[in-house]
């Protein structure tokens, strides 16, 4: 789950990391009031969950409250990289002496957390990695021993920086590690981390991603995880029902058991000339209710013209799936043709249940997909 | 492969009193696996499927010689269960549980490093099966597999069954199939398993079933190329149509920006001489081609 910049900053502040003075606003009047209170030049930052926001025009400066109001009117309602700007973070413009980069993320290859620090902040870190790899310091954390100030200072020792700067950066890095461990973050990034002309370290921008699998042990994120602007309406509905669903652009509904099998079904539909309209993994199908709800969710999506149900019932019982399909068809307000592929435990019984309801089932995945594409076409 | 599971594999089922643990303990026993004990804290003293239940893994090791564990414990407690198995000197730990926060396996793997020869499979995986000796430590349906000469490594469950079934029908069969798991952080990976299959005389060819997200496939390709891998390798990649930034069911199946795309993986494999199947069913044709059958 991606946090908005303002959410990440509020959280970091609780850990003692300095953030710029400011607040969020969703209308120009409030923007003006915040700028007035700050007094002096401000920065207006669109609160959207895409990277490269600055280059796309989502970050603007204003010299005073009046200009801030005008700029806010122009910025609010804009669509940037597919996201509508509904909220702005209004902050004091910092007097920058130096810009750093600091982050901790998960290195899937090393199966460890990796701490990154760079003396070249304020630009895309991947760009820095390409153009000046020497300006990035890396440290892989052994969680058995943790990540302390001495580890942080050791990784910073490659940079030619004075002791005071190094010490402050080290504290910043160890604080980020504490945030990662306590919040189950898979990414926390400060870019830039600014040293002001008065020598203070301030997180000018921050990104945070919380591990979706860890939401259950963080009461503070539970409600937030059900309100995600990057979810489509169907995805939000599915999330509430604990279904693993993703919208796609096509008109063939895809339902199956197992993420890999569903992805493979989607790819096969496309290879055979169809356009998949969604991804829905029912997982290990244990009961009719969950499967029925999932199938109905797909069937009632207006763009969907035909639904493909692909179940390889290793352990899953095919008769339960068949029953779910029949019930979904009976109860759904919008009815669409369904093609079912059933293989595995109780497949004959499943096929019989479907046949009685006038639904054809196949044993072979390619045959079933060919049929779906034919119906749609 | 015999270092993961073998004829001496003695399994303790962690979470045996739960419905899944109980169900699969029974299926593993039916298949021929020596399931010797179960563990559920607070439920020691019972019997499930004819095997004794203990409060701790250590008791199963001491009393019944358990050397392998399979974990069905719910996500909230699975990390702790994994750590307990490591501390009890279990040698092969298969974590079936889906939805474990990734911090937990990261911490467990760091702990496992301090011990000798601990193998962790998963989490979020179907487990391991060796049809040559009728041993499975997992949830895969045994009848889909047959003894043979193909090694399979996969990030997915049901997709493995799909492809294994084609291989079985073609009369090739399998030596060992390992589901390494769909999470971002898993124990055994493609490279470690390629190393094991390299030394497994009966394995004639290897199938790698991958998907979008991360760079495990790219690293496997690099390994195959750099070590001049001696056995033919075929692959399948799921998720070519996945939109960036969306989790496709598996926690690890996510394209971030341009990283982790199917294109990148297919390109890496092709450059390493690995044949990539366009459809799951084509994998078996590629194997026939590679083995000249």
């Amino acid at each position: 789950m991606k946090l908005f910049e303002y959410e990440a900053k509020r959280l970091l502040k609780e850990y003692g990391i300095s953030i710029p003075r400011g607040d969020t606003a969703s209308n120009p009047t409030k923007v003006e009031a915040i700028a007035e209170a700050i007094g002096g030049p401000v920065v207006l930052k669109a609160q959207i969950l895409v990277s490269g926001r600055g280059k796309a025009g989502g970050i603007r400066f204003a010299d005073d409250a009046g200009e801030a109001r005008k700029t806010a009117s122009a910025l609010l309602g804009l669509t940037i990289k597919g996201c509508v700007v509904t909220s702005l973070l209004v902050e004091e413009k910092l007097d920058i002496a130096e810009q750093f980069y600091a982050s901790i993320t998960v290195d899937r290859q090393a199966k460890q957390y990796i701490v990154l620090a760079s003396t070249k902040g304020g630009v895309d870190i991947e760009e820095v990695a390409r153009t000046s790899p020497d300006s990035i310091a890396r440290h892989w954390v052994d969680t058995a021993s943790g990540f302390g100030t001495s580890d942080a200072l050791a990784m910073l020792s490659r940079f030619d920086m004075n002791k005071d700067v190094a010490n402050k950066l080290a504290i910043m890095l160890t604080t980020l590690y504490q945030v990662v461990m306590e919040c189950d973050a898979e990414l926390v990034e400060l870019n830039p981390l600014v040293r002001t002309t008065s020598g203070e370290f301030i997180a000018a921008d921050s990104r945070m991603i919380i591990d979706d699998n860890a939401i259950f042990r963080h009461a503070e994120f539970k409600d937030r995880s059900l309100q995600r602007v990057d979810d489509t309406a169907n995805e939000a509905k599915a999330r509430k029902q604990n279904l693993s669903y993703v919208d796609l652009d096509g008109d063939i509904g895809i339902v199956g058991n197992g993420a890999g099998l569903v992805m493979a079904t989607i790819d096969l539909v496309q290879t055979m000339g169809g356009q998949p309209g969604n991804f829905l993994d029912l997982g290990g199908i244990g009961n009719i209710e969950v499967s029925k709800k999932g199938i109905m969710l797909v069937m009632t999506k207006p763009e969907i013209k035909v639904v493909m149900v692909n179940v390889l019932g290793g352990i899953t019982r095919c008769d339960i799936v068949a029953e779910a399909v029949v019930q979904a068809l009976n109860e759904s307000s919008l009815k669409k043709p369904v093609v079912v592929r059933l293989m595995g435990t109780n497949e004959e019984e499943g096929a019989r249940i479907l046949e009685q309801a006038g639904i054809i089932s196949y044993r072979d995945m390619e045959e079933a997909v060919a049929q779906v594409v034919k119906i749609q076409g | 492969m015999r270092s993961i599971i073998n004829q001496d594999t003695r399994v303790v089922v962690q979470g045996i009193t739960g419905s899944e643990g109980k169900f699969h303990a029974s299926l593993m026993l039916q298949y021929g696996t020596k399931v010797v004990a179960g563990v559920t804290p607070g439920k020691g003293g019972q019997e499930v499927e004819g095997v004794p239940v203990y409060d701790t893994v250590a008791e199963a090791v001491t009393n019944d010689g358990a050397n392998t564990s399979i974990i069905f414990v719910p996500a909230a407690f699975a990390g702790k269960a994994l750590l307990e198995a490591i501390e009890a000197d279990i040698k092969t730990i298969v974590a079936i549980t889906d939805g474990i926060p990734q911090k937990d396996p990261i911490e467990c793997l760091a702990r496992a490093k301090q011990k000798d020869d601990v193998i962790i499979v998963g989490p979020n995986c179907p487990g391991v099966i060796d049809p040559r000796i009728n041993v499975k430590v997992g949830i895969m349906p045994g009848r889909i597999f047959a003894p043979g000469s193909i090694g399979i490594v996969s990030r997915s469950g049901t997709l493995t069954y799909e492809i294994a079934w084609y291989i079985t029908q073609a009369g090739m069969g399998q030596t060992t199939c390992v589901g390494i798991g769909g999470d971002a952080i898993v124990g055994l990976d493609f490279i470690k398993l390629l190393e094991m299959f390299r030394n497994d005389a009966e394995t004639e060819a290897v199938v790698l079933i991958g998907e979008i997200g991360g760079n495990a496939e790219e690293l496997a390709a690099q390994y195959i190329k750099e070590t001049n891998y001696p056995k033919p390798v075929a692959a399948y990649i799921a998720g070519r149509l996945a939109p960036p930034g969306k989790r496709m069911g598996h926690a690890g199946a996510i394209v971030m920006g341009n990283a982790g795309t199917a294109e990148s993986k297919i390109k890496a494999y092709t450059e390493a001489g690995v044949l990539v199947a366009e459809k799951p069913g084509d994998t078996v044709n590629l194997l026939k081609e590679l083995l000249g059958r």
Side-chain angles (χ1 to χ4, degrees):
Chain A
M1 176 175 73
K2 288 179 186 168
L3 296 186
F4 283 107
E5 178 191 3
Y6 77 90
E7 293 174 307
K9 281 179 167 170
R10 276 179 198 167
L11 203 150
L12 292 170
K13 195 180 172 192
E14 287 172 28
Y15 283 83
I17 292 177
S18 298
I19 60 170
R21 286 182 298 135
D23 204 352
T24 52
S26 51
N27 63 67
T29 312
K30 187 164 177 213
V31 168
E32 188 177 13
I34 296 166
E36 197 83 59
I38 291 170
V42 291
V43 54
L44 281 69
K45 307 173 86 177
Q47 295 303 287
I48 48 176
L49 297 173
V50 290
S51 50
R53 172 184 62 162
K55 272 185 199 157
I59 299 177
R60 303 194 188 177
F61 295 91
D63 284 332
D64 54 49
E67 196 189 336
R69 184 191 176 98
K70 272 184 221 148
T71 308
S73 303
L75 201 46
L76 284 163
L78 269 190
T79 301
I80 295 174
K81 291 192 155 186
C83 301
V84 180
V85 181
T86 57
S87 175
L88 301 175
L89 179 60
V90 186
E91 289 181 333
E92 63 178 317
K93 191 180 170 200
L94 300 171
D95 291 321
I96 299 171
E98 222 175 338
Q99 301 194 84
F100 297 93
Y101 171 95
S103 78
I104 301 180
T105 184
V106 174
D107 181 341
R108 291 174 64 154
Q109 180 184 343
K111 301 163 191 182
Q112 285 177 309
Y113 291 104
I114 180 171
V115 185
L116 293 177
S118 171
T119 47
K120 291 200 162 39
V123 281
D124 180 17
I125 191 68
E126 282 168 21
E127 182 65 31
V128 177
R130 268 194 303 276
T131 54
S132 54
D134 288 345
S135 62
I136 301 178
R138 295 175 176 83
H139 176 91
W140 283 268
V141 180
D142 177 359
T143 47
S145 52
F147 178 75
T149 315
S150 56
D151 299 311
L153 284 172
M155 78 180 266
L156 295 172
S157 66
R158 63 182 293 150
F159 300 128
D160 179 28
M161 54 176 61
N162 76 46
K163 226 173 165 183
D164 177 57
V165 170
N167 282 336
K168 281 180 176 159
L169 264 179
I171 290 168
M172 194 62 83
L173 292 172
T174 53
T175 307
L176 291 185
Y177 183 67
Q178 193 192 348
V179 171
V180 164
M181 297 311 277
E182 287 179 12
C183 300
D184 274 296
E186 45 183 67
L187 167 74
V188 53
E189 181 187 70
L190 311 182
N191 189 26
L193 168 61
V194 162
R195 185 170 66 83
T196 62
T197 46
S198 57
E200 211 188 342
F201 276 80
I202 299 180
D205 196 358
S206 66
R207 287 203 302 150
M208 246 180 113
I209 302 176
I210 305 297
D211 180 359
D212 282 317
N213 281 352
I215 302 287
F216 74 85
R217 61 186 178 197
H218 293 278
E220 72 273 27
F221 296 133
K222 256 177 204 155
D223 290 342
R224 171 62 176 81
S225 103
L226 293 174
Q227 298 158 11
R228 304 195 192 193
V229 290
D230 41 355
D231 275 354
T232 64
N234 272 335
E235 286 166 3
K237 202 169 154 190
R239 195 182 293 282
K240 286 196 183 88
Q241 296 175 17
N242 267 325
L243 291 167
S244 181
Y245 177 97
V246 176
D247 263 324
L248 300 171
D249 293 332
D251 50 16
I252 297 178
I254 311 284
V255 184
N257 66 328
L261 186 68
V262 179
M263 278 192 268
T265 310
I266 286 170
D267 292 348
L268 189 59
V269 164
Q270 198 207 23
T271 300
M272 297 179 80
Q275 291 301 322
N278 76 288
F279 165 101
L280 173 58
D281 172 17
L282 296 175
I285 299 162
N287 70 60
I288 295 179
E289 237 8 67
V290 175
S291 312
K292 184 181 80 181
K293 275 187 187 152
I295 295 164
M296 284 170 71
L297 179 75
V298 173
M299 203 177 285
T300 49
K301 179 179 171 179
E303 292 83 2
I304 297 296
K305 291 188 185 133
V306 52
V307 180
M308 159 96 201
V309 179
N310 184 6
V311 171
L312 204 167
I315 304 302
T316 298
R317 277 170 49 193
C318 291
D319 53 327
I320 291 189
V321 178
E323 198 60 58
V325 170
V326 173
Q327 289 188 15
L329 264 173
N330 285 340
E331 294 173 31
S332 181
S333 52
L334 267 167
K335 298 188 203 308
K336 314 273 172 71
V338 183
V339 174
V340 185
R341 181 279 178 111
L342 285 183
M343 193 181 129
T345 312
N346 294 351
E347 63 179 46
E348 295 83 7
E349 175 67 5
R352 197 186 55 78
I353 293 169
L354 290 171
E355 202 185 333
Q356 281 181 351
I359 301 161
I360 321 165
S361 67
Y362 295 83
R363 202 161 179 269
D364 182 84
M365 174 166 161
E366 286 186 28
E367 275 177 37
V369 169
Q371 179 64 18
V372 161
V373 173
K374 198 175 131 197
I375 292 178
Q376 189 281 329
Chain B
M1 305 328 296
R2 297 285 160 91
S3 55
I4 312 176
I5 54 171
N6 53 50
Q7 267 130 342
D8 300 323
T9 290
R10 296 173 70 82
V11 178
V12 51
V13 178
Q14 292 181 256
I16 196 166
T17 55
S19 60
E20 274 200 63
K22 189 174 173 221
F23 180 60
H24 289 290
S26 151
L27 291 181
M28 282 188 282
L29 282 162
Q30 278 173 36
Y31 187 71
T33 310
K34 291 180 194 115
V35 177
V36 297
V39 167
T40 300
K43 298 209 170 158
Q46 301 182 9
E47 243 187 34
V48 170
E49 299 297 330
V51 304
V53 179
Y54 301 107
D55 289 328
T56 65
V57 176
E59 288 170 276
V61 172
T62 311
N63 297 346
D64 303 289
N67 53 21
T68 300
S69 147
I70 182 165
I71 296 176
F72 291 99
V73 174
F77 312 102
K80 220 177 135 222
L82 195 50
L83 207 54
E84 188 191 343
I86 295 168
E87 302 297 347
D89 289 329
I90 293 286
K91 290 299 168 204
T92 295
I93 307 167
V94 177
I96 304 295
T97 311
D98 172 17
I100 304 179
Q102 60 186 3
K103 187 174 108 181
D104 299 3
I106 290 175
E107 288 179 335
C108 289
L109 288 169
R111 180 70 188 104
K113 254 191 205 167
Q114 300 169 334
K115 294 236 172 192
D116 289 333
D117 303 329
V118 187
I119 290 175
I120 294 175
V121 185
N124 191 10
C125 77
V128 188
I129 186 166
D130 187 335
R132 295 170 297 179
I133 52 172
N134 270 44
V135 175
K136 73 161 178 168
V137 182
I139 60 172
M140 61 286 276
R143 64 180 182 284
I144 280 180
F145 302 85
S149 60
I150 309 297
I152 302 181
V153 188
S154 176
R155 288 172 63 188
S156 152
T158 42
L159 187 54
T160 311
Y161 313 159
E162 183 81 43
I163 291 172
W165 179 237
Y166 278 109
I167 292 170
T168 297
Q169 281 177 304
M172 295 176 140
Q174 305 84 20
T175 52
T176 308
C177 299
V178 184
I180 58 173
D183 282 354
I185 303 294
V186 292
L188 275 192
D189 53 30
F190 283 139
I191 292 177
K192 286 191 198 116
L193 284 155
L194 281 167
E195 271 168 21
M196 291 182 186
F197 278 122
R198 176 198 287 266
N199 302 319
D200 185 67
E202 289 177 43
T203 301
E204 291 179 58
V206 181
V207 173
L208 302 178
I209 304 171
E211 60 191 32
I212 52 152
N215 63 346
E217 289 79 6
E218 286 87 339
L219 293 169
Q222 195 185 338
Y223 169 84
I224 289 164
K225 204 167 160 183
E226 283 173 3
T227 66
N228 205 6
Y229 197 68
K231 299 184 180 184
V233 182
Y236 176 80
I237 305 283
R240 275 173 290 161
L241 264 193
K246 298 278 185 182
R247 225 166 80 144
M248 303 299 277
H250 285 154
I254 182 165
V255 172
M256 305 278 242
N258 297 319
T261 62
E263 291 73 29
S264 148
K265 294 168 189 302
I266 292 168
K267 185 166 169 270
Y269 273 149
T270 308
E271 283 169 5
V274 173
L275 298 187
V276 183
E278 179 153 16
K279 299 182 284 190
D282 291 347
T283 315
V284 74
N285 302 330
L286 297 182
L287 285 172
K288 284 181 187 160
E289 192 182 321
L290 287 165
L291 296 170
R293 289 183 191 163

